[in-house]
Amino acid sequence: RAGLFHSNTHLRAGGGSSEPIADRHYCRLLSGLAGGIEICITFPTEYVKTQLQLDEKANPPRYKGIGDCVKQTVRDHGVKGLYRGLSSLVYGSIPKAAVRFGMFEFLSNKMRDESGKLDSTRGLICGLGAGVAEAVVVVCPMETVKVKFIHDQTSANPKYRGFFHGVREIVRTQGLKGTYQGLTATVLKQGSNQAIRFYVMTALRNWYKGDNPNKTINPLVTGVFGAVAGAASVFGNTPLDVIKTRMQGLEAHKYKSTVDCAIKIMKYEGPAAFYKGTVPRLGRVCMDVAIVFIIYEEVVKVLNKVWKTD
């Protein structure tokens, strides 16, 4: 069993994995923890990305660029201001990893060929399914709370005192649907995110292994492949990320729908607005995808040695 992407021995006749249930859950737990640690390290880039995406040219813009956003935030709120909204992503990191990798495993075990190999096209389809699942179950409420918290900090009178107080206020004033704003945009973004990442990752791994499916991959190589996959997703779907952020902000009421949001951004701000926050997003996503894939694959290798099966 060589992990998510290629295996000759981890499939049963019915297509299910022979890997122990505890084994798979442990991998997802560690992947989620790794993601949580990475978020704590890189969250200021996520904060800056979100602020730049919320910053409408028509208003006029609050920030001149990345450096100005950091400068104003630290000046007005201290360094801790760059971590506003962090708790939402930390709390969601483990369930997000569990849903993402769980759904990918489930779909990929159904779609492998006779030799247990998953080609890049099927990897894309499995990634799409994984992204849609995580968007609906975990990411949409997690991202909605994060964006509202970040947007709230720039308000004249911030109203959210902390994670639990903020969630209570959102539910009290808007109902549960208040935590599910921008669901369509989130599904499109996460679905394309994971479709691109798993497609690129599967293609790179298959290319690297060539005719030797049992060839081991160094963790650093896995990390490089993960970073490339992350970068591909950033350049491929940042417009969807910008739309999602606008649909989840405190001024989301201005947009009738995902399509209306896209039309208004194009009309009033031009096509460049769809790539706001690309640079900070690129830095964080590349590190995130690289770390999570390394942790997942390396833990699988270790556990495969512990739980050997014939």
Side-chain angles (χ1 to χ4, degrees):
R1 288 170 289 133
L4 284 175
F5 299 91
H6 186 105
S7 170
N8 288 322
T9 60
H10 82 207
L11 301 176
R12 288 189 184 138
S17 172
S18 63
E19 191 176 318
I21 296 297
D23 179 326
R24 300 201 300 275
H25 289 342
Y26 188 60
C27 291
R28 292 169 205 156
L29 173 63
L30 282 185
S31 296
L33 289 174
I37 293 169
E38 173 274 326
I39 289 165
C40 291
I41 296 169
T42 63
F43 188 80
T45 61
E46 180 72 13
Y47 172 88
V48 171
K49 177 213 78 168
T50 303
Q51 286 289 22
L52 293 177
Q53 290 180 343
L54 287 167
D55 199 21
E56 296 181 37
K57 184 187 289 185
N59 269 355
R62 179 198 268 293
Y63 306 114
K64 297 173 185 172
I66 296 171
D68 187 51
C69 179
V70 173
K71 180 181 175 182
Q72 287 193 43
T73 301
V74 173
R75 183 193 67 201
D76 298 338
H77 307 284
V79 174
K80 75 178 191 307
L82 295 170
Y83 286 86
R84 175 78 161 179
L86 169 66
S87 53
S88 172
L89 297 194
V90 171
Y91 294 146
S93 63
I94 292 176
K96 181 172 78 169
V99 173
R100 175 186 301 173
F101 287 109
M103 180 58 74
F104 185 86
E105 279 180 15
F106 172 77
L107 294 174
S108 64
N109 281 338
K110 303 289 185 186
M111 298 185 72
R112 295 179 193 274
D113 61 22
E114 296 78 8
S115 65
K117 187 175 181 180
L118 184 73
D119 63 33
S120 54
T121 302
R122 292 179 179 182
L124 183 147
I125 295 170
C126 295
L128 178 63
V132 170
E134 71 176 6
V136 174
V137 178
V138 182
V139 176
C140 190
M142 181 179 85
E143 284 285 317
T144 301
V145 171
K146 178 206 76 178
V147 172
K148 286 183 184 295
F149 276 34
I150 290 175
H151 207 178
D152 178 65
Q153 182 163 265
T154 60
S155 302
N157 297 299
K159 56 188 176 182
Y160 303 136
R161 294 196 296 268
F163 177 78
F164 295 106
H165 174 262
V167 171
R168 279 201 308 273
E169 282 297 298
I170 292 169
V171 173
R172 183 180 68 80
T173 57
Q174 302 172 46
L176 279 176
K177 70 176 184 180
T179 64
Y180 262 89
Q181 284 182 213
L183 178 60
T184 301
T186 304
V187 167
L188 291 172
K189 180 215 164 186
Q190 292 303 124
S192 59
N193 250 359
Q194 303 315 324
I196 293 169
R197 290 174 192 175
F198 280 106
Y199 172 83
V200 172
M201 196 70 185
T202 306
L204 288 173
R205 288 175 59 93
N206 288 344
W207 164 77
Y208 184 84
K209 290 192 173 190
D211 297 327
N212 181 9
N214 297 316
K215 183 178 180 180
T216 57
I217 301 180
N218 183 285
L220 289 177
V221 175
T222 299
V224 171
F225 288 173
V228 171
S233 69
V234 169
F235 291 117
N237 76 355
T238 289
L240 290 171
D241 191 39
V242 172
I243 295 168
K244 176 201 73 68
T245 298
R246 294 285 179 90
M247 294 292 291
Q248 293 173 334
L250 298 178
E251 297 179 356
H253 57 84
K254 297 193 300 187
Y255 308 115
K256 298 173 188 173
S257 65
T258 301
V259 174
D260 181 58
C261 179
I263 291 172
K264 284 181 176 173
I265 292 173
M266 176 63 80
K267 181 178 179 181
Y268 297 114
E269 301 175 64
F274 287 108
Y275 279 89
K276 284 187 173 184
T278 297
V279 174
R281 185 184 179 214
L282 187 64
R284 201 214 129 204
V285 167
C286 287
M287 187 177 292
D288 170 35
V289 179
I291 289 174
V292 170
F293 271 123
I294 288 173
I295 294 294
Y296 194 95
E297 288 295 298
E298 291 308 301
V299 170
V300 166
K301 287 178 188 175
V302 171
L303 293 178
N304 282 343
K305 293 178 182 176
V306 176
W307 281 297
K308 280 191 179 294
T309 57
D310 294 327

